[in-house]
Amino acid sequence: MAAEQFSMFENASPAKKAGGVSTITINKTINGKQQSVFDHWLIPVFIGEWMFGPKVQDEKIISLENTVRKNGEFDFRVNRGGKEISHQGKYLELSIPNILEFSWLESSAPEVVSLINVQFSEVGDKTKLKLTLKVPVELDADRDEIKNIWTARCKALAEKFK
């Protein structure tokens, strides 16, 4: 291939070629019944015990509001480093207690929307969780941090069931 033919690949990452998203997958087995684990994703008092706060990051919960139904919206607010950060989204699929899919955006980057799909399957007294994040390529530089945060969240959730 001539040097000028390589130039068309210089700025194209595999994620850009695959529709502009990068996929992150996290699998976790939790020692709890499927319905109970599913509920922990939707009920604000439970969300506040594992998704946000000191178990995940250095932050304090301000408010956790959501409307649990298809196309229902949520707004989770935390204080992180003296700044109020809002995590907002809409429930796109709600198949209780099997699938939860929602959009996710943070006030620090309001034009960048991710898609999160969580699948729950019960195996005996345990629940297998498969979390798939579809993150826009604009967040590729933060990919490891995003994965680490969601891994910490899943770990904190699993600890609720020990």
Side-chain angles (χ1 to χ4, degrees):
M1 213 180 252
E4 62 271 14
Q5 290 175 304
F6 281 114
S7 65
M8 67 185 218
F9 295 106
E10 286 177 353
N11 296 319
S13 70
K16 286 182 183 175
K17 289 187 215 173
V21 297
S22 181
T23 301
I24 300 168
T25 302
I26 299 166
N27 293 292
K28 185 79 175 165
T29 299
I30 299 174
N31 290 319
K33 291 284 193 181
Q34 183 175 344
Q35 183 66 57
S36 183
V37 174
F38 190 91
D39 289 346
H40 276 69
W41 282 80
L42 299 173
I43 299 171
V45 69
F46 294 149
I47 293 167
E49 295 174 347
W50 68 271
M51 189 177 284
F52 300 104
K55 291 180 182 176
V56 180
Q57 298 186 73
D58 185 17
E59 62 190 7
K60 182 178 179 182
I61 297 168
I62 297 171
S63 65
L64 302 169
E65 299 176 16
N66 67 353
T67 303
V68 179
R69 67 172 187 260
K70 186 173 181 180
N71 295 318
E73 297 180 355
F74 61 85
D75 185 2
F76 305 141
R77 294 178 182 266
V78 298
N79 182 307
R80 187 180 308 140
K83 291 178 82 172
E84 184 173 319
I85 311 264
S86 174
H87 304 82
Q88 299 177 332
K90 183 183 280 193
Y91 295 111
L92 304 171
E93 184 174 351
L94 191 61
S95 176
I96 300 170
N98 303 307
I99 300 171
L100 179 59
E101 186 170 88
F102 52 94
S103 59
W104 181 272
L105 70 92
E106 294 186 20
S107 57
S108 57
E111 69 286 347
V112 183
V113 179
S114 298
L115 181 66
I116 300 175
N117 179 286
V118 191
Q119 296 180 17
F120 305 79
S121 57
E122 194 163 88
V123 180
D125 288 342
K126 297 180 180 183
T127 300
K128 289 191 179 232
L129 186 86
K130 180 180 180 185
L131 175 70
T132 305
L133 296 98
K134 292 188 179 180
V135 181
V137 294
E138 292 89 341
L139 297 176
D140 268 354
D142 301 319
R143 180 183 166 84
D144 290 341
E145 181 182 353
I146 292 167
K147 184 173 184 174
N148 290 340
I149 289 169
W150 280 100
T151 298
R153 288 175 173 151
C154 290
K155 180 181 177 189
L157 175 60
E159 288 174 2
K160 298 292 304 161
F161 291 90
K162 285 191 173 183

